[in-house]
Amino acid sequence: RIRSSSCKRHHVDIVRDFDENLMVVANRHKLMQVLINLVSNATNAIKESYGKVRRMTVSVKRKDADMIEIRVQDTGVGIASQNLCKIFSHGFTTRNEGHGIGMHSSALAAKELGGSLHALSDGPGQGAIFVMTLPVAPKQRETESPACLPQANGSVPAHHSATTCN
């Protein structure tokens, strides 16, 4: 929802594919930092591609008993194979106005949350997929608060605790 006006302005269709009632216990700000960065980058990649299909698919699924998987897939400019191994390096960017900080800090935040962040692409013009995995219920630290993942309609449950989202 935070980036929906930008997506509308650039005629990007957003497809939401969420399993119901998934929840992680994580630092809400770090999780939002990563998600906003992934959606912003996908929007920019689609905007720069000038392609006919302008779609971003965001999915949240249970990967296994212990992990969930958040995927942000776009139909944008794609990533050259030689850049896939550098995409999370500090200072690396493929954008003229980029600083090379966003993806690096997102990968670090995902790791701090007990998960990981990976990029996939079949190359230039083929779009990209960013996959973040997170533990379903990592050990809660003093600085962490529950973070509910969006429901299928894109809303975050109004009432939640560390174990359930209703």
Side-chain angles (χ1 to χ4, degrees):
R1 291 185 310 197
I2 290 172
R3 298 289 302 176
S4 64
S5 63
S6 175
C7 289
K8 285 178 187 175
R9 185 173 53 253
H10 297 294
H11 308 286
V12 175
D13 292 324
I14 302 173
V15 177
R16 292 175 178 91
D17 184 18
F18 301 159
D19 281 352
E20 295 291 325
N21 298 320
L22 289 179
M23 192 183 111
V24 297
V25 177
N27 181 296
R28 180 184 313 257
H29 300 288
K30 284 183 186 179
L31 180 56
M32 288 300 296
Q33 169 196 344
V34 176
L35 295 176
I36 289 170
N37 191 48
L38 294 177
V39 170
S40 296
N41 285 353
T43 304
N44 288 329
I46 294 167
K47 180 177 72 171
E48 293 170 7
S49 74
Y50 303 106
K52 291 181 182 177
V53 177
R54 300 171 73 78
R55 180 178 43 247
M56 177 189 329
T57 302
V58 180
S59 65
V60 181
K61 302 284 181 181
R62 184 174 291 277
K63 182 177 179 184
D64 57 37
D66 299 323
M67 301 295 279
I68 62 147
E69 185 174 88
I70 301 170
R71 287 179 170 249
V72 178
Q73 181 172 1
D74 66 64
T75 59
V77 296
I79 305 168
S81 60
Q82 68 269 23
N83 291 339
L84 279 173
C85 61
K86 299 186 266 185
I87 198 85
F88 298 107
S89 298
H90 185 266
F92 179 79
T93 184
T94 58
R95 299 183 64 220
N96 291 334
E97 67 277 0
H99 301 296
I101 298 170
M103 294 311 299
H104 176 72
S105 62
S106 291
L108 291 176
K111 187 174 183 177
E112 290 171 5
L113 293 170
S116 64
L117 182 60
H118 301 282
L120 308 162
S121 179
D122 288 333
Q126 302 299 310
I129 304 170
F130 285 84
V131 181
M132 180 168 57
T133 58
L134 293 172
V136 173
K139 292 181 182 176
Q140 190 169 359
R141 296 183 202 117
E142 288 181 34
T143 60
E144 292 179 332
S145 62
C148 288
L149 298 174
Q151 295 178 338
N153 66 2
S155 67
V156 174
H159 303 289
H160 62 275
S161 71
T163 56
T164 60
C165 282
N166 299 325

